[in-house]
Amino acid sequence: MENQKLWGGRFSASAAEILDEFNASLPFDKKLYKQDILGSQTHAKMLAKCGILTQSEAEKICEGLEQVKEEMERGEFEFILSDEDIHMAVEKRLTQIIGEVGKKLHTARSRNDQVALDFRLFVLDSNDNLRVLLLELIDTLLEIAKQHTQTMLPGMTHLQHAQPVNFGFLMCAYVSMFARDFERLESSFRRNNFCPLGAAALAGTPYATDRFFTAQTLGFIAPTLNATDSVSDRDFALDFLYDCSMIAMHISRLAEELVLWSSYEFKFITLSDAYSTGSSIMPQKKNPDVPELLRGKSGRVYGNLLSLLVVMKGLPLAYNKDTQEDKEGVFDSFETLSIALRILKDTLQTMTINTDSMLKACKKGHLSATDLADFLVQTCGIPFREAHHITGKAVAFAESLDKDLSDLSAEELCSVDSAIPQEAHKSLDLEASMNSRNSYGGTSTQATKTQIESLEAWLQLAKKALQDSKEPQNAK
Ligand code: ARG
């Protein structure tokens, strides 16, 4: 029979060509070949340990699988669509290489637990990789923060000038976001670090297998508890896609700042030529394509999360072919973020920070208005509402002179209202304003330095935790 399938025993007609095209996952799940082969080798070892295969049968299988892997790595492996997926492609080639004994590999397992394992290994590995990249980005942000704890710029609310802050302080805000992303991945990893292999089709197996051996050999904490849940669960992928979406959102927010800050209106930063692009028609243009794309990439990453949520929502237990749709979105989110995190780091490392423009911008928008009101409350005992009103008059007066509040002379300020004493003038100083916000987590240079110290201590612990999790007690 043409187009004979590994599962073809009960079929008398061969598969339609269009079925192969529609049904096959091989074009994308071939990416899982390493995980598939590692899972199969471990399974064979387990079967031998339990006396289900002989030692020499298991060795033959493992060696044969090694050869299949090498063929794939050398690009010599012939992927044939009618093989359907990576699991069957590998098994078929294995049997061609080692003969009949290859057909014993699939004892006490099913493609359902096999794909659940392969995909979970991939997701956990990608989780590790993203955490490495996040720490590199955090390192870069902290380096910038350390150099700019005195670099003043207008802090904004509603994108309007609000109060003076330092640039390092803003970098620490982004570090805080990415640190939470790291911890979110870490907790997803822990929650999902269980091995589904051995669950078989949906209900376990009559063979006397040892799932704990398989789980331990592959570096998992333990086997998953319930066989039916093991083959139908894709929460591990959804956790990962949500974690990716949060990272994409944080990247997008920072990217939006980079777009704004690099515009003529702000000029707070200049992006390096190496990370900017030109216009095909306007010779003068230097465009922030990198941050724009970083902002735009969030769309597909959120989309991947939503797709899988929708795929999963109506599925009855246990395995359904719908879940074959779980992979491409995960591959895409992972690849998108891998490059995004790297290019964001490079863009930050190479941009110029225009401290003069930042300072100049502080002279617009009466950033020290809150300080004057606070001074009137704290030193003159004026009720806050009243102080707010008097300060409002001072702002209007400054505007009538086309000046910033911080540029009023003491005499000009006192002329606004008889309740304003001479000493109130010093509250208009922008640097004093910034440094007065010395509360825990505040923007004063000193409070920012304290934040940097805490974040650096966190970074050291995170690096160590990542290192420890990679110790070769596991094969992942
Ligand atoms: N290619 C399938 C997937 O990705 C593998 C599992 C197929 N299992 C089955 N019973 N048809 O989900």
Side-chain angles (χ1 to χ4, degrees):
M1 194 166 85
E2 253 183 79
N3 199 354
Q4 180 71 51
K5 305 288 188 191
L6 287 187
W7 41 251
R10 60 120 48 224
F11 289 75
S12 50
S14 60
E17 234 175 83
I18 194 167
L19 173 101
D20 284 340
E21 200 184 323
F22 188 62
N23 190 42
S25 50
L26 191 56
F28 50 88
D29 71 11
K30 61 183 179 196
K31 207 187 242 314
L32 297 175
Y33 77 91
K34 263 192 206 144
Q35 288 83 354
D36 194 71
I37 287 172
L38 176 66
S40 289
Q41 288 173 325
T42 310
H43 184 65
K45 284 179 197 156
M46 183 280 290
L47 292 175
K49 175 178 175 284
C50 297
I52 302 166
L53 292 183
T54 67
Q55 205 60 45
S56 98
E57 285 172 330
E59 274 165 25
K60 261 200 200 132
I61 289 176
C62 288
E63 283 162 20
L65 286 166
E66 211 46 40
Q67 194 176 323
V68 177
K69 187 164 83 180
E70 279 159 21
E71 287 177 8
M72 289 185 170
E73 266 153 18
R74 284 197 298 262
E76 289 164 5
F77 191 95
E78 201 194 341
F79 290 98
I80 307 165
L81 198 65
S82 61
D83 285 342
E84 210 175 301
D85 57 28
I86 186 66
H87 324 296
M88 292 203 287
V90 169
E91 192 185 319
K92 194 176 95 182
R93 181 71 189 124
L94 173 70
T95 307
Q96 283 169 355
I97 298 172
I98 64 168
E100 285 298 292
V101 61
K103 295 185 179 172
K104 293 192 175 185
L105 168 63
H106 211 50
T107 315
R109 78 170 182 187
S110 141
R111 270 189 296 153
N112 299 349
D113 57 338
Q114 196 180 347
V115 73
L117 170 75
D118 295 1
F119 194 35
R120 202 181 276 242
L121 285 172
F122 180 89
V123 167
L124 293 178
D125 202 35
S126 305
N127 178 316
D128 260 344
N129 287 332
L130 287 188
R131 277 186 286 149
V132 171
L133 294 173
L134 277 171
L135 293 189
E136 287 171 12
L137 174 64
I138 287 173
D139 233 335
T140 299
L141 287 165
L142 281 175
E143 274 317 304
I144 299 174
K146 276 193 272 184
Q147 289 161 24
H148 291 282
T149 55
Q150 308 201 24
T151 303
M152 269 203 306
L153 78 165
M156 306 210 183
T157 62
H158 313 270
L159 205 60
Q160 306 288 328
H161 288 203
Q163 290 171 350
V165 296
N166 70 73
F167 193 64
F169 174 71
L170 296 189
M171 293 298 102
C172 288
Y174 281 103
V175 173
S176 304
M177 295 179 218
F178 292 121
R180 287 194 294 275
D181 291 335
F182 179 93
E183 289 176 351
R184 199 171 291 110
L185 282 168
E186 202 173 40
S187 93
S188 296
F189 190 101
R190 236 179 289 123
R191 183 165 43 261
N192 295 305
N193 193 13
F194 295 89
C195 180
L197 193 65
L202 76 161
T205 170
Y207 296 93
T209 53
D210 183 350
R211 291 191 60 206
F212 286 86
F213 172 86
T214 308
Q216 199 186 13
T217 308
L218 287 168
F220 290 100
I221 296 172
T224 47
L225 185 69
N226 176 283
T228 278
D229 179 50
S230 308
V231 293
S232 68
D233 168 40
R234 292 295 182 272
D235 294 1
F236 61 94
L238 287 163
D239 276 350
F240 181 71
L241 289 173
Y242 175 69
D243 298 346
C244 287
S245 297
M246 293 291 281
I247 296 170
M249 184 267 289
H250 292 145
I251 290 177
S252 183
R253 292 187 64 180
L254 177 49
E256 165 66 6
E257 309 262 31
L258 298 180
V259 171
L260 286 174
W261 290 342
S262 62
S263 69
Y264 271 112
E265 284 66 29
F266 281 82
K267 269 196 171 179
F268 288 178
I269 57 169
T270 309
L271 296 174
S272 144
D273 281 358
Y275 295 91
S276 304
T277 47
S279 156
S280 55
I281 176 164
M282 296 168 281
Q284 84 283 13
K285 295 278 311 265
K286 183 166 152 184
N287 292 330
D289 286 27
V290 170
E292 285 172 315
L293 272 173
L294 288 170
R295 196 175 54 186
K297 294 279 181 194
S298 56
R300 63 201 289 159
V301 177
Y302 299 173
N304 293 332
L305 170 63
L306 198 67
S307 297
L308 188 56
L309 280 171
V310 176
V311 166
M312 296 307 293
K313 77 173 256 299
L315 297 188
L317 291 172
Y319 176 82
N320 299 274
K321 188 69 171 235
D322 313 45
T323 52
Q324 182 166 287
E325 291 291 311
D326 58 3
K327 293 170 200 57
E328 288 153 290
V330 166
F331 296 160
D332 180 66
S333 286
F334 172 62
E335 277 154 26
T336 302
L337 287 187
S338 301
I339 188 160
L341 287 165
R342 281 186 288 131
I343 201 162
L344 174 58
K345 182 193 73 177
D346 293 350
T347 305
L348 292 164
Q349 271 170 352
T350 53
M351 71 188 186
T352 311
I353 295 165
N354 303 327
T355 54
D356 288 351
S357 308
M358 289 184 182
L359 188 61
K360 222 164 112 196
C362 289
K363 294 281 187 181
K364 289 195 185 107
H366 317 291
L367 292 183
S368 46
T370 319
D371 303 273
L372 176 59
D374 286 341
F375 180 91
L376 296 176
V377 171
Q378 285 170 343
T379 314
C380 313
I382 299 175
F384 182 77
R385 198 42 67 210
E386 179 66 17
H388 187 284
H389 184 76
I390 296 171
T391 306
K393 284 203 298 182
V395 167
F397 180 60
E399 285 202 336
S400 74
L401 300 178
D402 209 16
K403 282 187 171 181
D404 186 70
L405 188 62
S406 63
D407 286 333
L408 287 184
S409 68
E411 290 66 40
E412 284 167 337
L413 181 64
C414 292
S415 74
V416 171
D417 192 293
S418 56
I420 303 178
Q422 192 82 11
E423 320 91 84
H425 185 246
K426 67 178 187 301
S427 71
L428 297 183
D429 179 69
L430 291 169
E431 203 172 319
S433 162
M434 179 182 86
N435 283 324
S436 72
R437 298 204 162 72
N438 200 26
S439 53
Y440 183 82
T443 192
S444 71
T445 295
Q446 199 194 346
T448 303
K449 283 184 176 161
T450 308
Q451 286 162 53
I452 293 173
E453 272 168 32
S454 302
L455 292 167
E456 280 191 317
W458 177 92
L459 180 60
Q460 291 321 315
L461 288 176
K463 277 186 182 162
K464 188 166 178 328
L466 197 57
Q467 200 55 44
D468 291 350
S469 76
K470 281 180 180 288
E471 295 288 292
Q473 34 106 13
N474 68 52
K476 283 205 287 283

